[in-house]
Amino acid sequence: MTDAITFATPYDDSNIFAKILRGEIPSISVFENDDCLAFMDIMPQREGHTLVIPKRPAVTFLDIEPDSLANLIKHTQIVARAVQKAMNADGFSIVQLNGSKGGQTVPHIHFHILPGSILNAGAHGAIPSDPEHLAKVAEKIRNAF
Ligand code: AMP
């Protein structure tokens, strides 16, 4: 067993989530602290679809330091609790895709929180939602922390 970790994937800081983190493009946030940001997916696969990202750059599950990953998962649990409560969801899905062949479209690691099941959710990253509607959903989630 070795402690060596290979941070293999070069990080491209022109990706859309890096731009959100730099404030260059807007997001509808539900949670933020020094480590993480959570915001509404603008092409939600289910009502309440929320993304949680670390502020430090990393592309995939294999590129992030274990302590940062643990912290990201801890925050994903905090946000999932609020999403579940706000959306009154019986169940929910946590999804995390890696690499373009793994279906990842934004190369900055993130967890998806989807009320209900991913198995019968809408298409991935396909249909933009009305921003005013998303803002209302986000407000419900913010009020559920
Ligand atoms: P993935 O394919 O796992 O990398 O997921 C990327 C997600 O980001 C998709 O569900 C997209 O709908 C979502 N997305 C893309 N651009 C934005 C954006 N500007 N703000 C919020 N979500 C976005």
Side-chain angles (χ1 to χ4, degrees):
M1 176 99 172
T2 169
D3 286 330
I5 296 163
T6 307
F7 297 98
T9 318
Y11 184 80
D12 174 3
D13 71 3
S14 68
N15 77 76
I16 203 117
F17 293 172
K19 289 180 181 170
I20 285 175
L21 286 169
R22 290 194 298 267
E24 291 168 11
I25 63 165
S27 65
I28 304 172
S29 71
V30 297
F31 174 93
E32 180 168 14
N33 68 7
D34 287 347
D35 301 327
C36 297
L37 176 68
F39 53 97
M40 304 313 296
D41 195 304
I42 54 167
M43 292 172 273
Q45 291 176 254
R46 300 196 62 108
E47 178 98 329
H49 186 167
T50 304
L51 303 171
V52 188
I53 69 173
K55 290 196 170 176
R56 290 179 68 175
V59 180
T60 75
F61 197 81
L62 299 182
D63 300 311
I64 187 169
E65 292 172 26
D67 285 351
S68 299
L69 177 60
N71 195 33
L72 178 61
I73 291 173
K74 183 179 105 176
H75 286 94
T76 301
Q77 185 188 48
I78 291 167
V79 178
R81 205 168 265 133
V83 170
Q84 190 267 347
K85 188 172 158 197
M87 306 314 295
N88 200 21
D90 272 347
F92 64 94
S93 306
I94 302 292
V95 177
Q96 198 276 311
L97 306 173
N98 296 283
S100 56
K101 294 278 195 293
Q104 183 178 15
T105 56
V106 178
H108 180 113
I109 185 171
H110 49 282
F111 282 91
H112 297 255
I113 302 167
L114 300 108
S117 175
I118 184 68
L119 298 178
N120 58 10
H124 181 61
I127 304 167
S129 184
D130 169 31
E132 281 184 21
H133 177 70
L134 279 183
K136 284 186 189 141
V137 177
E139 192 178 357
K140 276 168 71 173
I141 296 171
R142 280 195 298 273
N143 290 335
F145 280 93

